[in-house]
């Protein structure tokens, strides 16, 4: 279901909430640059099916001046608009919305965070700047390399496609060098957005393995 939340600065925004209210742990699922569209909601539903309470904050509401941010299609128009909107949302404002989403997981004493593309990047930022979460799983987060020397406060794992044309393998290697103790998984045959089922970007074998690793990682840190 869609709910309305308010961040610490008074900004009201939409979030998609699912899963059992009495779940022991909750997951904040952060979107790509296409908003909380069908795919991102499905990812939250997958976590809910595993027994988690899951929530997806609509970070693009910041760009819509009080309206609900768009939920974009995976076409050129969606990509262009998503890239433009993403540039208008500052990291510090997105982090306020992520904290508000985590606070909405009222019954869950353990909170986890994951995200895809832009959301993967924000998951890393959250891991380094927030004290709210217990673990983070970052899927193909662009621009993480820019903050690769930041210090995570929580356990983190990362997932990248070896054939990602948006995130050079040199960036992934730079992250690995800067964070030698952090599990950074590279899926050699996968490209960008390999976890996005129902699109040409999907690489089922890599997505299944990354999902398995994410679930195992979260189970380890949800106790």
């Amino acid at each position: 279901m869609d709910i309305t939340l308010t961040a610490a600065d008074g900004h009201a925004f939409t979030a998609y909430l699912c899963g059992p209210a009495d779940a022991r742990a909750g997951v904040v699922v952060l979107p790509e640059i296409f908003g909380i569209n069908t795919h991102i909601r499905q990812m939250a539903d997958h976590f809910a099916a595993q027994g988690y309470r899951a929530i997806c904050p609509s970070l693009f509401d910041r760009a819509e001046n009080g309206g609900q941010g768009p939920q974009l299609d995976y076409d050129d128009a969606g990509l262009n608009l998503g890239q433009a909107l993403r540039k208008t949302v500052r990291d510090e404002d997105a982090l306020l919305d992520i904290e508000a989403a985590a606070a909405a997981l009222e019954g869950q004493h353990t909170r986890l965070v994951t995200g895809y593309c832009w959301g993967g990047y924000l998951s890393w930022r959250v891991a380094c700047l927030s004290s709210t979460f217990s673990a983070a799983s970052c899927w193909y987060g662009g621009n993480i390399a820019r903050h690769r020397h930041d210090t995570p406060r929580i356990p983190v794992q990362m997932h990248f496609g070896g054939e990602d044309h948006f995130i050079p393998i040199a960036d992934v290697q730079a992250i690995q060098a800067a964070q030698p103790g952090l599990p950074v998984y590279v899926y050699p045959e996968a490209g960008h957005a390999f976890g996005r089922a129902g699109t040409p970007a999907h690489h089922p074998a890599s997505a299944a393995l990354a999902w398995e690793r994410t679930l195992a990682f979260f189970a380890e840190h949800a106790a």
Side-chain angles (χ1 to χ4, degrees):
M1 64 178 176
D2 282 358
I3 61 173
T4 300
L5 300 177
T6 303
D9 64 349
H11 168 67
F13 65 98
T14 302
Y16 173 66
L17 180 66
C18 62
D22 60 351
R24 182 182 61 186
V27 182
V28 177
V29 180
L30 302 179
E32 309 162 300
I33 60 167
F34 299 90
I36 55 169
N37 60 7
T38 299
H39 167 63
I40 294 301
R41 290 165 183 259
Q42 287 175 342
M43 296 309 295
D45 291 339
H46 291 331
F47 280 108
Q50 295 294 322
Y52 290 97
R53 186 76 157 164
I55 189 166
C56 308
S58 180
L59 304 179
F60 275 167
D61 287 18
R62 291 262 176 191
E64 290 294 294
N65 297 317
Q68 184 171 348
Q71 300 171 32
L72 304 175
D73 294 327
Y74 297 114
D75 54 18
D76 288 344
L79 177 63
N80 292 336
L81 179 55
Q83 289 176 332
L85 291 174
R86 185 261 175 273
K87 292 176 182 177
T88 71
V89 181
R90 302 183 305 167
D91 284 3
E92 51 265 45
D93 292 332
L95 293 176
L96 291 177
D97 297 346
I98 294 166
E99 292 287 356
L105 299 171
E106 297 176 325
Q108 287 64 55
H109 70 276
T110 300
R111 292 157 183 170
L112 310 156
V113 62
T114 189
Y116 310 88
C117 187
W118 181 33
Y121 161 75
L122 289 172
S123 298
W124 173 245
R125 298 289 283 145
V126 165
C128 298
L129 296 173
S130 173
S131 300
T132 298
F133 297 93
S134 297
S137 181
C138 313
W139 289 51
Y140 33 86
N143 291 323
I144 288 177
R146 224 175 37 182
H147 296 275
R148 64 186 180 275
H149 294 296
D150 291 358
T151 301
R153 300 181 179 184
I154 57 176
V156 180
Q157 64 172 201
M158 295 186 187
H159 308 271
F160 293 99
E163 297 294 326
D164 193 326
H165 298 299
F166 293 96
I167 304 173
I169 195 65
D171 282 4
V172 178
Q173 292 167 343
I175 295 167
Q176 291 173 315
Q179 302 288 337
L182 189 150
V184 178
Y185 300 107
V186 178
Y187 303 83
E189 299 179 356
H192 192 69
F194 65 81
R196 192 193 294 156
T199 71
H202 189 217
H203 192 269
S206 299
L209 181 54
W211 176 245
E212 179 183 320
R213 285 168 168 164
T214 296
L215 288 180
F217 187 66
F218 279 177
E220 177 184 355
H221 297 289

